[in-house]
Amino acid sequence: MTAMPSGHETGAPRTPDESLVRRIKALACTAPLQSLDVVKRQLEWDAAEYHMAELGLHIIDLVTIAMDFDSGADPDKVILQAARFAAAQRPGRGEEEYRRVAEWVLHKLINVGTVDRGFSWQYGRFDEEGETYSRFDFDFKLIIERADQGRIRLRTTDEAINVLVGALDTDVESAQVAAEHKLRHLIEHGRLDDAKVAAEQARHRTVQYGESLRRRLDATKRDVRTVDWEHQMPGLLNAALDHIERRYEMENAILAHITERRDTTSHPRHKQRAAELVLIVRDCISRHMQLQQRIQTAGDLFRSEQDRQQFSTPPQRSAVDIFGQLLVPALSLPVGDALPALTQYFRNANVPAVPDAVWMPSIVSRLFASGPTPAMEGAEVPEPELDVPDDDGAFTETEFQAAEELLDLRGAPEPLSSLLRRARAVSPEIARLVLHRAGQAFSPPAGDAVREGADRLLIAVPTGEVLQDDEFGGDELLLAAVPLDPSGKQGALVSDAPRNVPQPRPATLNARQESPAI
């Protein structure tokens, strides 16, 4: 049996080196794009004919080109432009569906629905001795959301830009130089289609270089101690200024060469490609000028942030991750075990009301403070406007007289329903007046009637039945006119009043339709 050749004999490395890790990370950054065409089959709506990976790359490209040093890309504009690309893939489906597809792809690239909105990929590597193999998590993001003056803006990360240019963790400076030399070579040899691709990659590298500086400046605003401003940042800023100077000279030379090719060529396609290259190179020059302005103000930013943070008090306690440290552990516990922890958290989270005066000098100064100085003259008293209101009665004298004639029940008692029918035959207003008088006749003040010298008293007692009327509702009443003692000595009703009348519950009267309630 022949022995396997060793690594020394074959010239191959004994263990995988760092290049394998770089390639694994490069593969991990493309995984979210590749999974789009797999997950689309699980959607409730028909998305089978859309090429989601192409849409994802197009969205990353749109966000990268639209963002600058200060702000990012507008999500609505990105979705609108991506919807046009979706319409080209599947014509005739409607603007609503195209926008829905673009929003879905954008949300997948942002990884909406997760806590940190990021992706994670496990990879393995050996230690420095090459003996121990361990697994690690590679966390990355493709598109992130940032607040800018109250609005949400999108920005691509280094990993997303590396997906566009097909590399990972490449030195930005060397990649930029190589891309521009490649672009110049392709233009000089007339390969304008390949030159356009190289120009777009060079622009992506320019954006990536600006992003690396912007992150360091943002970290300086949060904490100057996290950035090495003594050795690393001065060298980085000087190298960036040299880089911008060299790129500016080369890009102007490339721009002059492309402009000449555009003006001298007669081929329509070459002229169109040359015009597109002119726009791309001009955009690169504009981005370099913006980056140069930020580099020149970086020193002032560091000094101002150093002064501000030096005199600011350190945080008293660290922030609490409510989702990871409270909600998730509480959901895994029984209710009886979770309630004490939740109760304690909400008791401590509710800040007590702080009084206006929190220390003794404030209280003393408020107690000794004099009151407001009164005005020399009081406010002007307005003259009241006294108008005598017009007292128009609800019923006329004629209606009162007609109701009195109906209620002159000297002969025998009569039910209220019968009186209402007789009154409504004359006038609806008389019927309302009769109902009003019937309500007053229930438990009437007999003593007042005797003192006033009235010869009779109208009384009403419930019969226990329901009032049969189309307009009014309530209890049926039996009304009678009871004569009073003319001498007023007995102060009671005479003996011919209705006898054996039951005394049920109090009567009720109400309007069935839209008539006013009595």
Side-chain angles (χ1 to χ4, degrees):
M1 181 179 294
T2 303
M4 291 292 293
S6 63
H8 179 72
E9 295 173 353
T10 60
R14 183 169 61 90
T15 57
D17 56 4
E18 188 66 24
S19 62
L20 176 62
V21 176
R22 296 166 64 90
R23 284 175 285 173
I24 290 297
K25 290 183 178 180
L27 180 64
C29 292
T30 61
L33 291 170
Q34 297 172 3
S35 65
L36 293 176
D37 289 309
V38 178
V39 181
K40 71 179 182 181
R41 300 184 179 90
Q42 303 175 2
L43 297 176
E44 298 179 355
W45 39 280
D46 185 14
E49 298 184 12
Y50 291 101
H51 301 283
M52 299 300 187
E54 296 179 3
L55 280 169
L57 283 173
H58 184 57
I59 289 177
I60 294 176
D61 198 4
L62 291 173
V63 175
T64 303
I65 301 304
M67 70 182 189
D68 56 15
F69 196 89
D70 293 324
S71 62
D74 188 355
D76 294 333
K77 293 182 180 179
V78 172
I79 292 175
L80 179 61
Q81 295 174 356
R84 296 173 183 172
F85 186 45
Q89 292 184 354
R90 194 176 183 183
R93 300 297 297 180
E95 294 295 332
E96 183 178 356
E97 179 175 321
Y98 300 147
R99 186 177 180 87
R100 185 179 186 181
V101 172
E103 288 181 352
W104 182 79
V105 175
L106 178 60
H107 290 171
K108 284 296 182 181
L109 295 179
I110 301 175
N111 205 5
V112 175
T114 58
V115 178
D116 57 350
R117 297 199 171 186
F119 303 93
S120 181
W121 187 278
Q122 286 192 350
Y123 67 96
R125 64 185 306 172
F126 287 89
D127 57 4
E128 296 181 357
E129 290 76 13
E131 298 179 355
T132 304
Y133 177 80
S134 305
R135 303 291 294 178
F136 300 91
D137 289 332
F138 171 51
D139 298 326
F140 65 94
K141 297 181 181 180
L142 297 179
I143 298 179
I144 58 178
E145 296 175 310
R146 288 291 182 267
D148 181 20
Q149 297 179 357
R151 296 173 296 179
I152 298 298
R153 290 293 181 261
L154 303 177
R155 304 189 71 92
T156 52
T157 60
D158 287 344
E159 290 80 8
I161 298 176
N162 284 319
V163 168
L164 291 177
V165 298
L168 185 74
D169 291 342
T170 305
D171 179 65
V172 179
E173 173 71 19
S174 59
Q176 181 72 17
V177 174
E180 290 182 353
H181 280 289
K182 177 182 178 181
L183 174 61
R184 187 171 187 175
H185 175 77
L186 292 174
I187 293 173
E188 290 176 352
H189 289 77
R191 299 170 57 184
L192 297 183
D193 289 339
D194 297 335
K196 181 176 182 296
V197 177
E200 291 176 346
Q201 292 182 354
R203 179 167 59 178
H204 294 155
R205 286 300 181 188
T206 301
V207 176
Q208 188 177 16
Y209 199 91
E211 279 294 291
S212 63
L213 287 178
R214 186 191 63 82
R215 287 196 302 270
R216 287 177 172 84
L217 294 180
D218 288 345
T220 302
K221 294 179 181 179
R222 292 190 295 270
D223 191 354
V224 294
R225 296 171 296 181
T226 60
V227 182
D228 183 10
W229 278 90
E230 185 177 0
H231 303 289
Q232 182 182 8
M233 282 301 296
L236 179 61
L237 295 177
N238 293 330
L241 288 174
D242 295 338
H243 161 83
I244 292 174
E245 183 179 358
R246 293 192 299 269
R247 300 289 75 73
Y248 185 78
E249 294 175 356
M250 180 170 287
E251 286 169 353
N252 277 278
I254 294 173
L255 182 61
H257 197 82
I258 299 174
T259 305
E260 182 182 357
R261 292 294 302 270
R262 181 193 62 184
D263 297 338
T264 57
T265 184
S266 59
H267 196 281
R269 181 176 179 82
H270 291 174
K271 187 178 290 292
Q272 179 183 0
R273 292 301 184 190
E276 294 175 354
L277 285 173
V278 169
L279 295 177
I280 294 175
V281 175
R282 284 179 177 174
D283 183 54
C284 289
I285 294 175
S286 175
R287 291 178 183 273
H288 282 314
M289 294 177 64
Q290 185 182 17
L291 182 60
Q292 181 183 8
Q293 180 183 2
R294 291 298 179 182
I295 292 174
Q296 291 174 347
T297 60
D300 296 336
L301 174 65
F302 163 70
R303 287 185 289 271
S304 62
E305 288 297 324
Q306 186 181 33
D307 294 340
R308 182 184 65 86
Q309 297 177 20
Q310 183 178 3
F311 297 102
S312 61
T313 58
Q316 299 297 325
R317 63 181 64 183
S318 59
V320 178
D321 183 7
I322 300 179
F323 182 84
Q325 298 179 358
L326 181 65
L327 180 60
V328 174
L331 292 177
S332 62
L333 295 175
V335 177
D337 298 337
L339 282 179
L342 295 176
T343 303
Q344 185 67 24
Y345 167 76
F346 285 106
R347 182 182 293 114
N348 297 332
N350 294 327
V351 180
V354 180
D356 295 336
V358 295
W359 61 317
M360 185 58 65
S362 299
I363 299 176
V364 174
S365 61
R366 294 195 178 192
L367 291 176
F368 281 97
S370 59
T373 304
M376 297 299 295
E377 297 180 357
E380 183 180 358
V381 179
E383 292 290 338
E385 297 181 1
L386 302 178
D387 294 334
V388 179
D390 297 333
D391 189 7
D392 296 334
F395 304 101
T396 62
E397 293 293 337
T398 306
E399 292 170 347
F400 272 107
Q401 185 177 1
E404 287 295 332
E405 294 177 357
L406 288 173
L407 296 174
D408 188 11
L409 306 173
R410 298 179 183 273
E414 187 173 351
L416 176 59
S417 56
S418 175
L419 291 172
L420 290 176
R421 286 193 296 270
R422 291 168 53 193
R424 193 174 291 111
V426 180
S427 172
E429 296 298 325
I430 298 178
R432 293 179 55 222
L433 183 56
V434 169
L435 182 68
H436 184 68
R437 292 290 306 276
Q440 294 178 343
F442 184 81
S443 185
D448 295 342
V450 172
R451 285 192 295 270
E452 293 175 359
D455 58 347
R456 61 188 177 87
L457 178 64
L458 183 65
I459 63 173
V461 292
T463 63
E465 299 178 357
V466 180
L467 178 62
Q468 301 296 326
D469 190 81
D470 296 335
E471 184 178 1
F472 305 111
D475 295 335
E476 177 67 276
L477 301 179
L478 183 65
L479 283 82
V482 181
L484 298 178
D485 187 5
S487 62
K489 295 180 180 180
Q490 298 178 359
L493 303 179
V494 296
S495 59
D496 56 351
R499 304 176 184 271
N500 300 326
V501 178
Q503 298 295 327
R505 59 181 175 82
T508 58
L509 295 174
N510 61 285
R512 293 184 183 274
Q513 302 175 354
E514 298 182 357
S515 301
I518 302 302

